[in-house]
Amino acid sequence: MNEVWPVDVPGERVLVREVCPRDEGPLLRLFEECEDWFLAATGLPSGPGDVQSLFYALPPGADPEAKALLVVERNGEVAGVIDAVRDHPERGAVAVGLFLLAPWARGRGLGRAVSEALLPRFGEPPLVTATVPPGWVPGERFLTRLGFTLDGPPEGTASAEAAGRGAGTAGRGARRAVLRRTASA
């Protein structure tokens, strides 16, 4: 995925591309702006190593070569980050570890447009999984609007794993979200 592609959002210039070294500063700002997600996921604001951990965080058993780390640019500014792994938890599936938009970029259709643009880039996966911190209403609402089914929090799993914090500090499990798609979807 060494390409940049536009996403159709009326009235806005939106691009999705792979993360590169010059994104470190903008990603640090994004994480600071997204304190609501970090507090819901870990009980703490973003930490200094959270951006670097994006490059190394993988679900158990995932192939590091299958990882895609992408930024969403809106009108030239980093508005979001996506961490996804192809062929996980099964061949053909995609596991989304993090899909985070800045508060100023939410509620405008940007998340839906980016999600719909990603599916063909990932080969129209029949299964997409994600996690959301329990009780984090913006994320739960976003996933259900996209057609995901939310499970209860699994034992011993923390949404902080998506941010590379291992077991998490909040002690709350992440809610698993599952989207099963048919071949015609």
Side-chain angles (χ1 to χ4, degrees), residues 1-19:
M1 259 200 232
N2 288 326
E3 60 186 293
V4 176
W5 69 90
V7 176
D8 186 25
V9 179
E12 300 187 35
R13 183 175 173 267
V14 177
L15 301 173
V16 176
R17 61 174 174 76
E18 286 188 353
V19 170

Side-chain angles (χ1 to χ4, degrees), residues 132-175:
V132 62
W136 192 55
V137 176
E140 292 173 348
R141 189 175 15 216
F142 174 67
L143 289 169
T144 56
R145 286 181 179 162
L146 291 176
F148 281 81
T149 301
L150 294 170
D151 297 338
E155 291 295 316
T157 304
S159 53
E161 290 173 14
R165 292 190 186 192
T169 56
R172 298 177 296 230
R175 291 189 73 189

Side-chain angles (χ1 to χ4, degrees), residues 20-106:
C20 63
R22 73 173 186 268
D23 294 319
E24 184 176 4
L27 286 171
L28 286 168
R29 278 191 303 283
L30 173 69
F31 281 16
E32 289 171 2
E33 292 171 342
C34 294
E35 184 173 304
D36 59 342
W37 183 86
F38 280 94
L39 289 174
T42 69
L44 298 170
S46 172
D50 288 331
V51 169
Q52 290 81 6
S53 70
L54 280 174
F55 293 92
Y56 306 106
L58 279 171
D63 178 1
E65 296 298 315
K67 184 176 178 87
L69 193 52
L70 309 168
V71 292
V72 178
E73 285 186 358
R74 180 179 156 258
N75 298 327
E77 188 172 353
V78 171
V81 64
I82 301 159
D83 179 7
V85 178
R86 293 178 299 279
D87 293 326
H88 192 80
E90 60 192 46
R91 184 144 183 83
V94 172
V96 180
L98 183 63
F99 190 113
L100 190 61
L101 292 178
W104 52 265
R106 298 176 194 160

